[in-house]
Amino acid sequence: AQSVTQLDSQVPVFEEAPVELRCNYSSSVSVYLFWYVQYPNQGLQLLLKYLSGSTLVKGINGFEAEFNKSQTSFHLRKPSVHISDTAEYFCAVSPMFKGAQKLVFGQGTRLTINP
Amino acid sequence: GAGVSQTPSNKVTEKGKYVELRCDPISGHTALYWYRQSLGQGPEFLIYFQGTGAADDSGLPNDRFFAVRPEGSVSTLKIQRTERGDSAVYLCASSPGLAGAETQYFGPGTRLLVL
């Protein structure tokens, strides 16, 4: 079984400041890793995903995440945030075996950008 | 092109009633997923279809929940004898169905309230 823990339920940040949203996972098998974002009144959309290869993954809107296998973490970062980044961010994993397509999500982190 | 659509957007029902929630995936996507998102939580996997068949229904909470996809396109999630604890946002997603770790494209959700 898999589980995902997002260590912060809310993160307030000033505009143009850097931000890191933390994600740790637990799994008995190898997993693929994802970050999804939910803007106010919109559906979930993919920010980035890690499948294999380089542990630093770049996504849309200037976000990046680093996979750390030894620490079972996949933290999301952005060097300078904008008001438009205000949203809820979800970390998710998917088991890496044939036929497994389901996503297991964390509880989400609400990112609030203050001017 | 058109994204994933879900109807109705909101549904209010009384405890004990039967409800149906509909999902129209992106055209050509063979994989379809249902998730449930309770207030303040991340989405929770319910069921995954590949074509017409349920490839993984391990997330359905009990036998009151049932989903179909008879022609491999539109899917209906059916809930019998609704309970107040079923109140949540029900999310549908689709993906091409060609490989593992595909990006899932989410609809806006159906908000179900059981009184």
Side-chain angles (χ1 to χ4, degrees):
Chain A
Q2 293 74 43
S3 67
V4 177
T5 302
Q6 292 184 241
L7 296 158
D8 305 293
S9 58
Q10 296 187 63
V11 173
V13 181
F14 286 109
E15 195 172 16
E16 298 183 8
V19 70
E20 179 179 78
L21 305 184
R22 297 179 292 168
C23 172
N24 286 86
Y25 69 92
S26 171
S27 177
S28 55
V29 301
S30 295
V31 294
Y32 301 115
L33 298 123
F34 305 79
W35 276 98
Y36 277 81
V37 60
Q38 189 169 34
Y39 297 107
N41 301 315
Q42 294 186 30
L44 284 158
Q45 59 181 274
L46 181 72
L47 262 184
L48 49 80
K49 61 183 175 182
Y50 173 78
L51 305 184
S52 64
S54 173
T55 57
L56 184 62
V57 181
K58 294 191 183 297
I60 62 171
N61 301 339
F63 282 93
E64 64 182 29
E66 184 149 25
F67 170 52
N68 187 318
K69 188 172 183 179
S70 62
Q71 296 187 11
T72 59
S73 68
F74 192 53
H75 300 333
L76 181 71
R77 297 191 292 257
K78 186 170 182 178
S80 176
V81 296
H82 302 284
I83 292 284
S84 59
D85 293 323
T86 295
E88 185 123 26
Y89 292 79
F90 293 94
C91 181
V93 302
S94 180
M96 196 187 293
F97 55 79
K98 186 180 168 76
Q101 298 281 0
K102 69 178 183 183
L103 292 170
V104 176
F105 285 89
Q107 293 185 307
T109 297
R110 184 169 298 279
L111 178 62
T112 305
I113 312 299
N114 299 306
Chain B
V4 177
S5 62
Q6 294 185 244
T7 53
S9 54
N10 291 280
K11 176 71 177 178
V12 181
T13 191
E14 294 178 343
K15 180 176 176 296
K17 299 289 189 183
Y18 168 83
V19 296
E20 289 190 351
L21 311 179
R22 176 187 167 107
C23 172
D24 276 271
I26 292 172
S27 178
H29 281 190
T30 62
L32 184 147
Y33 317 80
W34 284 99
Y35 295 86
R36 177 170 69 174
Q37 187 174 16
S38 300
L39 196 62
Q41 303 294 316
E44 175 191 21
F45 170 77
L46 295 176
I47 186 169
Y48 152 53
F49 286 91
Q50 181 60 259
T52 60
D56 182 355
D57 65 357
S58 62
L60 294 177
N62 52 58
D63 62 5
R64 295 187 299 105
F65 288 74
F66 189 70
V68 296
R69 196 185 184 199
E71 297 178 358
S73 178
V74 170
S75 177
T76 305
L77 178 66
K78 308 181 181 197
I79 311 174
Q80 298 178 322
R81 303 183 304 280
T82 52
E83 299 178 357
R84 292 194 180 88
D86 298 335
S87 297
V89 177
Y90 289 80
L91 300 171
C92 177
S94 71
S95 71
L98 302 174
E102 293 179 333
T103 298
Q104 295 184 20
Y105 297 87
F106 284 81
T110 293
R111 189 175 300 273
L112 175 66
L113 177 61
V114 182
L115 300 176

Coordinates of all heavy atoms in Angstrom, one line a residue, chain B residues 6-76:
Chain B
Q6 N -18.5 16.8 -16.2 CA -19.3 16.0 -15.2 C -20.6 16.7 -15.0 O -20.7 17.9 -14.9 CB -18.5 16.0 -13.9 CG -17.2 15.2 -14.0 CD -16.5 15.0 -12.6 OE1 -15.4 15.5 -12.4 NE2 -17.2 14.3 -11.7
T7 N -21.6 15.9 -14.9 CA -23.0 16.4 -14.6 C -23.6 15.5 -13.5 O -23.4 14.3 -13.5 CB -23.8 16.4 -15.8 OG1 -23.8 15.1 -16.4 CG2 -23.4 17.5 -16.8
P8 N -24.5 16.1 -12.6 CA -24.6 17.6 -12.5 C -23.4 18.2 -11.8 O -22.6 17.5 -11.3 CB -25.9 17.7 -11.6 CG -25.8 16.4 -10.8 CD -25.2 15.3 -11.7
S9 N -23.3 19.5 -11.7 CA -22.2 20.1 -11.0 C -22.5 20.1 -9.5 O -21.6 20.0 -8.7 CB -22.0 21.5 -11.4 OG -23.2 22.3 -11.4
N10 N -23.8 20.1 -9.1 CA -24.2 20.0 -7.7 C -25.4 19.1 -7.6 O -26.3 19.1 -8.5 CB -24.6 21.4 -7.2 CG -23.4 22.3 -7.0 OD1 -22.6 22.2 -6.1 ND2 -23.2 23.2 -8.0
K11 N -25.5 18.3 -6.6 CA -26.6 17.4 -6.3 C -26.9 17.4 -4.9 O -26.0 17.1 -4.0 CB -26.3 16.0 -6.8 CG -27.3 15.0 -6.6 CD -28.5 15.2 -7.5 CE -29.6 14.1 -7.2 NZ -30.8 14.3 -8.1
V12 N -28.1 17.7 -4.5 CA -28.6 17.6 -3.1 C -29.6 16.5 -3.1 O -30.6 16.5 -3.9 CB -29.2 19.0 -2.7 CG1 -29.7 18.8 -1.2 CG2 -28.2 20.1 -2.8
T13 N -29.5 15.6 -2.2 CA -30.4 14.5 -2.0 C -30.7 14.3 -0.6 O -30.0 14.8 0.3 CB -29.9 13.3 -2.7 OG1 -30.9 12.3 -2.8 CG2 -28.7 12.7 -2.0
E14 N -31.7 13.4 -0.3 CA -32.0 13.0 1.1 C -31.4 11.7 1.4 O -31.3 10.8 0.5 CB -33.5 13.0 1.3 CG -34.1 14.4 1.1 CD -35.7 14.3 1.3 OE1 -36.2 13.2 1.2 OE2 -36.3 15.4 1.5
K15 N -31.1 11.5 2.6 CA -30.6 10.2 3.1 C -31.5 9.1 2.7 O -32.7 9.2 2.8 CB -30.5 10.3 4.6 CG -29.9 9.0 5.3 CD -29.8 9.3 6.8 CE -29.4 8.0 7.5 NZ -30.3 6.9 7.5
G16 N -30.9 8.0 2.1 CA -31.6 6.9 1.7 C -32.0 6.9 0.2 O -32.4 5.8 -0.3
K17 N -31.8 8.0 -0.5 CA -32.1 8.1 -1.9 C -31.0 7.5 -2.8 O -29.8 7.4 -2.3 CB -32.4 9.5 -2.3 CG -33.6 10.2 -1.6 CD -34.9 9.6 -2.0 CE -36.0 10.4 -1.4 NZ -37.4 9.9 -1.8
Y18 N -31.3 7.3 -4.0 CA -30.4 6.8 -5.0 C -29.9 8.0 -5.9 O -30.7 8.8 -6.3 CB -31.1 5.8 -5.9 CG -30.4 5.3 -7.1 CD1 -29.4 4.4 -7.1 CD2 -30.7 5.9 -8.4 CE1 -28.8 3.9 -8.2 CE2 -30.1 5.4 -9.5 CZ -29.1 4.5 -9.4 OH -28.5 4.1 -10.6
V19 N -28.6 8.0 -6.2 CA -28.1 9.1 -7.1 C -27.2 8.5 -8.2 O -26.6 7.5 -8.0 CB -27.3 10.2 -6.3 CG1 -28.2 10.9 -5.3 CG2 -26.1 9.6 -5.6
E20 N -27.2 9.2 -9.3 CA -26.3 8.9 -10.4 C -25.5 10.1 -10.8 O -26.0 11.2 -10.9 CB -27.1 8.4 -11.6 CG -27.7 7.1 -11.5 CD -28.3 6.5 -12.8 OE1 -28.3 7.3 -13.8 OE2 -28.7 5.4 -12.8
L21 N -24.2 9.9 -10.9 CA -23.3 11.0 -11.3 C -22.6 10.6 -12.6 O -22.2 9.5 -12.8 CB -22.2 11.2 -10.2 CG -22.7 11.3 -8.8 CD1 -21.5 11.5 -7.9 CD2 -23.7 12.4 -8.6
R22 N -22.6 11.5 -13.6 CA -22.1 11.2 -14.9 C -20.8 11.9 -15.2 O -20.5 13.0 -14.8 CB -23.2 11.7 -15.9 CG -22.8 11.5 -17.4 CD -23.9 12.2 -18.3 NE -23.4 12.3 -19.7 CZ -23.9 11.5 -20.7 NH1 -24.8 10.6 -20.4 NH2 -23.4 11.7 -21.9
C23 N -20.0 11.1 -16.0 CA -18.7 11.7 -16.4 C -18.5 11.4 -17.9 O -18.7 10.3 -18.4 CB -17.6 11.0 -15.7 SG -15.9 11.4 -16.3
D24 N -18.2 12.5 -18.7 CA -17.8 12.4 -20.1 C -16.3 12.7 -20.2 O -15.9 13.8 -20.0 CB -18.6 13.5 -20.9 CG -20.0 13.1 -21.2 OD1 -20.1 12.5 -22.3 OD2 -20.9 13.3 -20.5
P25 N -15.6 11.6 -20.6 CA -14.1 11.8 -20.7 C -13.7 12.5 -21.9 O -14.5 12.8 -22.8 CB -13.6 10.4 -20.7 CG -14.7 9.6 -21.4 CD -16.0 10.3 -20.9
I26 N -12.4 12.9 -22.0 CA -11.9 13.4 -23.2 C -12.0 12.4 -24.3 O -11.7 11.2 -24.1 CB -10.4 13.8 -23.0 CG1 -10.4 15.0 -22.1 CG2 -9.7 14.2 -24.3 CD1 -9.0 15.4 -21.6
S27 N -12.4 12.8 -25.5 CA -12.6 11.9 -26.6 C -11.4 11.1 -26.9 O -10.3 11.7 -27.0 CB -13.0 12.7 -27.9 OG -13.2 11.9 -29.0
G28 N -11.5 9.8 -27.1 CA -10.4 8.9 -27.4 C -9.7 8.4 -26.2 O -8.8 7.5 -26.3
H29 N -9.9 8.9 -25.0 CA -9.3 8.4 -23.8 C -9.9 7.1 -23.4 O -11.2 7.0 -23.1 CB -9.4 9.4 -22.7 CG -8.4 10.5 -22.8 ND1 -8.1 11.4 -21.7 CD2 -7.5 10.8 -23.7 CE1 -7.2 12.2 -22.1 NE2 -6.8 11.9 -23.3
T30 N -9.1 6.0 -23.3 CA -9.7 4.7 -22.9 C -9.7 4.5 -21.4 O -10.4 3.6 -20.9 CB -8.9 3.6 -23.6 OG1 -7.6 3.6 -23.1 CG2 -9.0 3.7 -25.1
A31 N -8.9 5.3 -20.7 CA -8.8 5.1 -19.2 C -9.7 6.2 -18.5 O -9.6 7.3 -18.9 CB -7.4 5.2 -18.7
L32 N -10.4 5.7 -17.5 CA -11.3 6.7 -16.8 C -11.2 6.3 -15.3 O -11.2 5.1 -15.0 CB -12.7 6.6 -17.3 CG -13.8 7.5 -16.8 CD1 -14.8 7.9 -17.8 CD2 -14.4 7.0 -15.5
Y33 N -11.2 7.3 -14.5 CA -11.0 7.2 -13.1 C -12.1 8.0 -12.3 O -12.5 9.1 -12.7 CB -9.6 7.7 -12.6 CG -8.5 7.4 -13.5 CD1 -8.3 8.1 -14.7 CD2 -7.6 6.3 -13.2 CE1 -7.2 7.7 -15.5 CE2 -6.6 6.0 -14.0 CZ -6.4 6.7 -15.2 OH -5.3 6.4 -16.0
W34 N -12.5 7.4 -11.2 CA -13.3 8.1 -10.2 C -12.6 8.3 -8.9 O -12.0 7.3 -8.4 CB -14.6 7.4 -10.0 CG -15.7 7.5 -11.1 CD1 -15.9 6.6 -12.0 CD2 -16.6 8.6 -11.3 NE1 -17.0 7.0 -12.9 CE2 -17.4 8.2 -12.4 CE3 -16.9 9.8 -10.7 CZ2 -18.4 9.0 -12.9 CZ3 -17.9 10.6 -11.1 CH2 -18.6 10.2 -12.3
Y35 N -12.7 9.5 -8.4 CA -12.1 9.8 -7.0 C -13.2 10.5 -6.2 O -14.1 11.1 -6.8 CB -10.9 10.7 -7.2 CG -9.7 10.2 -7.9 CD1 -9.6 10.2 -9.2 CD2 -8.7 9.6 -7.1 CE1 -8.5 9.7 -9.9 CE2 -7.6 9.0 -7.8 CZ -7.5 9.1 -9.2 OH -6.4 8.6 -9.8
R36 N -13.0 10.5 -4.9 CA -13.9 11.2 -4.0 C -13.0 12.2 -3.1 O -12.0 11.7 -2.6 CB -14.7 10.3 -3.1 CG -15.6 10.9 -2.1 CD -16.5 9.9 -1.5 NE -15.8 9.0 -0.6 CZ -16.4 8.1 0.2 NH1 -17.8 8.0 0.2 NH2 -15.8 7.2 0.9
Q37 N -13.5 13.4 -3.0 CA -12.7 14.4 -2.2 C -13.6 14.9 -1.1 O -14.5 15.7 -1.4 CB -12.1 15.5 -3.1 CG -11.2 16.4 -2.4 CD -10.6 17.4 -3.3 OE1 -11.0 17.7 -4.4 NE2 -9.5 18.0 -2.8
S38 N -13.3 14.5 0.1 CA -14.1 15.1 1.2 C -13.4 16.4 1.6 O -12.3 16.7 1.3 CB -14.0 14.1 2.4 OG -14.6 12.9 2.0
L39 N -14.2 17.2 2.4 CA -13.7 18.5 2.8 C -12.4 18.5 3.5 O -12.2 17.8 4.5 CB -14.8 19.2 3.6 CG -14.7 20.7 3.8 CD1 -14.8 21.4 2.4 CD2 -15.7 21.2 4.8
G40 N -11.4 19.3 3.0 CA -10.1 19.4 3.7 C -9.2 18.2 3.4 O -8.1 18.1 4.0
Q41 N -9.6 17.3 2.5 CA -8.8 16.1 2.2 C -8.4 16.1 0.8 O -8.9 16.8 -0.1 CB -9.6 14.8 2.5 CG -10.2 14.7 3.9 CD -9.1 14.6 4.9 OE1 -8.1 13.8 4.8 NE2 -9.2 15.3 6.0
G42 N -7.4 15.2 0.5 CA -7.0 15.0 -0.9 C -8.0 14.0 -1.6 O -8.7 13.3 -0.9
P43 N -8.0 14.0 -2.9 CA -8.8 13.0 -3.6 C -8.5 11.6 -3.2 O -7.3 11.3 -3.0 CB -8.5 13.3 -5.1 CG -8.0 14.7 -5.1 CD -7.3 14.8 -3.8
E44 N -9.5 10.8 -3.1 CA -9.4 9.3 -2.7 C -9.9 8.5 -3.9 O -11.0 8.6 -4.3 CB -10.2 9.1 -1.4 CG -10.3 7.7 -0.9 CD -11.3 7.5 0.1 OE1 -12.2 8.3 0.2 OE2 -11.2 6.5 0.9
F45 N -9.0 7.6 -4.3 CA -9.3 6.7 -5.5 C -10.5 5.8 -5.2 O -10.7 5.2 -4.1 CB -8.1 5.9 -5.8 CG -8.4 4.8 -6.8 CD1 -8.5 5.1 -8.1 CD2 -8.6 3.5 -6.4 CE1 -8.7 4.1 -9.1 CE2 -8.8 2.4 -7.3 CZ -8.9 2.8 -8.7
L46 N -11.4 5.7 -6.2 CA -12.6 4.8 -6.1 C -12.5 3.7 -7.0 O -12.5 2.5 -6.6 CB -13.9 5.6 -6.3 CG -14.3 6.7 -5.3 CD1 -15.5 7.4 -5.8 CD2 -14.4 6.1 -3.9
I47 N -12.3 4.0 -8.3 CA -12.4 2.9 -9.4 C -11.7 3.4 -10.6 O -11.7 4.6 -10.9 CB -13.8 2.5 -9.6 CG1 -13.9 1.3 -10.6 CG2 -14.7 3.7 -10.2 CD1 -15.3 0.7 -10.7
Y48 N -11.2 2.5 -11.4 CA -10.5 2.8 -12.7 C -11.0 1.9 -13.7 O -11.0 0.6 -13.5 CB -9.0 2.7 -12.4 CG -8.1 2.3 -13.6 CD1 -8.1 3.0 -14.8 CD2 -7.2 1.2 -13.5 CE1 -7.3 2.7 -15.8 CE2 -6.4 0.9 -14.5 CZ -6.4 1.6 -15.7 OH -5.6 1.3 -16.7
F49 N -11.4 2.4 -14.9 CA -11.8 1.7 -16.0 C -10.7 1.7 -17.1 O -10.2 2.8 -17.4 CB -13.1 2.3 -16.6 CG -14.3 2.0 -15.8 CD1 -14.7 2.9 -14.8 CD2 -15.1 0.9 -16.0 CE1 -15.8 2.6 -14.1 CE2 -16.2 0.6 -15.3 CZ -16.6 1.5 -14.3
Q50 N -10.5 0.6 -17.8 CA -9.8 0.6 -19.0 C -10.7 0.0 -20.1 O -11.1 -1.1 -20.0 CB -8.5 -0.4 -18.9 CG -7.7 -0.4 -20.1 CD -7.1 0.9 -20.6 OE1 -7.6 1.6 -21.5 NE2 -6.1 1.3 -19.9
G51 N -11.2 0.9 -20.9 CA -12.3 0.5 -21.9 C -13.6 0.4 -21.1 O -13.9 1.2 -20.3
T52 N -14.3 -0.7 -21.3 CA -15.5 -1.0 -20.7 C -15.4 -1.6 -19.3 O -16.4 -1.6 -18.5 CB -16.4 -1.8 -21.6 OG1 -15.8 -3.1 -21.8 CG2 -16.7 -1.2 -22.9
G53 N -14.3 -2.2 -19.0 CA -14.1 -3.0 -17.8 C -13.5 -2.3 -16.7 O -12.6 -1.4 -16.9
A54 N -13.9 -2.6 -15.5 CA -13.2 -2.0 -14.3 C -11.9 -2.8 -14.0 O -11.9 -3.9 -13.6 CB -14.2 -2.2 -13.1
A55 N -10.8 -2.1 -14.2 CA -9.5 -2.7 -14.0 C -9.1 -2.7 -12.6 O -8.3 -3.6 -12.1 CB -8.4 -1.9 -14.8
D56 N -9.7 -1.8 -11.8 CA -9.3 -1.7 -10.3 C -10.5 -1.1 -9.6 O -10.7 0.1 -9.9 CB -8.0 -1.0 -10.1 CG -7.6 -0.9 -8.7 OD1 -8.3 -1.3 -7.8 OD2 -6.5 -0.4 -8.4
D57 N -11.2 -1.8 -8.8 CA -12.3 -1.2 -8.1 C -12.1 -1.3 -6.6 O -13.0 -1.2 -5.8 CB -13.7 -1.8 -8.4 CG -13.7 -3.3 -8.0 OD1 -12.7 -3.8 -7.5 OD2 -14.8 -3.9 -8.2
S58 N -10.8 -1.3 -6.2 CA -10.4 -1.5 -4.8 C -10.8 -0.4 -3.9 O -10.8 -0.5 -2.7 CB -8.9 -1.8 -4.7 OG -8.2 -0.7 -5.2
G59 N -11.1 0.8 -4.5 CA -11.4 2.0 -3.7 C -12.9 2.1 -3.4 O -13.2 3.0 -2.6
L60 N -13.7 1.4 -4.0 CA -15.2 1.5 -3.7 C -15.4 1.2 -2.2 O -15.0 0.1 -1.8 CB -16.0 0.6 -4.6 CG -16.0 1.0 -6.1 CD1 -16.8 0.0 -6.9 CD2 -16.5 2.4 -6.3
P61 N -16.0 2.0 -1.4 CA -16.1 1.8 0.0 C -17.0 0.7 0.4 O -16.7 0.1 1.5 CB -16.6 3.2 0.5 CG -17.2 3.9 -0.6 CD -16.5 3.4 -1.8
N62 N -18.0 0.4 -0.3 CA -18.9 -0.7 0.1 C -19.8 -1.0 -1.1 O -19.7 -0.3 -2.2 CB -19.8 -0.3 1.3 CG -20.4 1.1 1.1 OD1 -21.2 1.3 0.2 ND2 -20.1 2.0 2.0
D63 N -20.7 -1.9 -1.0 CA -21.6 -2.3 -2.1 C -22.7 -1.4 -2.5 O -23.5 -1.6 -3.4 CB -22.1 -3.8 -1.9 CG -23.0 -3.9 -0.7 OD1 -23.3 -2.8 0.0 OD2 -23.4 -5.0 -0.3
R64 N -22.8 -0.2 -1.8 CA -23.7 0.8 -2.2 C -23.2 1.6 -3.4 O -24.0 2.2 -4.0 CB -24.0 1.7 -1.0 CG -24.7 1.1 0.2 CD -25.1 2.2 1.2 NE -24.0 2.9 1.8 CZ -23.6 4.1 1.4 NH1 -24.4 4.8 0.6 NH2 -22.6 4.7 2.0
F65 N -21.9 1.5 -3.6 CA -21.3 2.2 -4.7 C -21.1 1.3 -5.9 O -20.5 0.2 -5.7 CB -20.0 2.8 -4.3 CG -20.1 3.9 -3.3 CD1 -20.4 3.7 -2.0 CD2 -19.8 5.2 -3.7 CE1 -20.5 4.8 -1.1 CE2 -19.9 6.3 -2.9 CZ -20.3 6.1 -1.6
F66 N -21.4 1.8 -7.1 CA -21.2 1.0 -8.3 C -21.0 1.9 -9.4 O -21.5 3.0 -9.5 CB -22.5 0.1 -8.5 CG -22.4 -0.9 -9.6 CD1 -21.6 -2.0 -9.4 CD2 -23.0 -0.7 -10.8 CE1 -21.4 -3.0 -10.4 CE2 -22.9 -1.7 -11.8 CZ -22.1 -2.8 -11.6
A67 N -20.2 1.5 -10.4 CA -19.9 2.4 -11.5 C -19.9 1.5 -12.8 O -19.5 0.3 -12.8 CB -18.5 3.1 -11.4
V68 N -20.3 2.1 -13.9 CA -20.4 1.4 -15.2 C -19.8 2.3 -16.3 O -19.8 3.5 -16.2 CB -21.9 1.0 -15.5 CG1 -22.4 0.0 -14.5 CG2 -22.8 2.2 -15.6
R69 N -19.4 1.7 -17.3 CA -18.9 2.4 -18.5 C -19.2 1.5 -19.7 O -18.4 0.9 -20.3 CB -17.4 2.6 -18.4 CG -16.9 3.7 -19.4 CD -15.4 3.8 -19.3 NE -14.9 4.8 -20.1 CZ -13.7 4.9 -20.5 NH1 -12.8 4.0 -20.1 NH2 -13.3 5.9 -21.3
P70 N -20.5 1.3 -20.1 CA -21.0 0.3 -21.0 C -20.4 0.3 -22.4 O -20.2 -0.7 -23.1 CB -22.5 0.4 -21.0 CG -22.7 1.8 -20.5 CD -21.6 2.1 -19.6
E71 N -20.1 1.5 -22.9 CA -19.6 1.6 -24.3 C -18.2 2.2 -24.3 O -17.7 2.5 -25.4 CB -20.5 2.6 -25.1 CG -21.9 2.0 -25.2 CD -22.9 2.9 -26.0 OE1 -22.5 4.0 -26.4 OE2 -24.0 2.5 -26.1
G72 N -17.5 2.2 -23.2 CA -16.1 2.6 -23.1 C -15.9 4.1 -23.2 O -14.8 4.5 -23.5
S73 N -17.0 4.9 -23.1 CA -16.8 6.3 -23.1 C -17.4 6.9 -21.8 O -16.7 6.9 -20.8 CB -17.5 6.9 -24.3 OG -17.4 8.3 -24.4
V74 N -18.6 7.3 -21.9 CA -19.3 7.9 -20.7 C -19.4 6.9 -19.6 O -19.5 5.7 -19.8 CB -20.7 8.3 -21.1 CG1 -21.5 8.7 -19.8 CG2 -20.7 9.5 -22.1
S75 N -19.2 7.4 -18.3 CA -19.3 6.5 -17.2 C -20.3 7.1 -16.2 O -20.5 8.4 -16.1 CB -17.9 6.4 -16.5 OG -18.0 5.7 -15.3
T76 N -21.0 6.2 -15.4 CA -21.9 6.7 -14.4 C -21.5 6.0 -13.1 O -21.3 4.8 -13.0 CB -23.3 6.2 -14.8 OG1 -23.7 6.8 -16.1 CG2 -24.3 6.8 -13.8

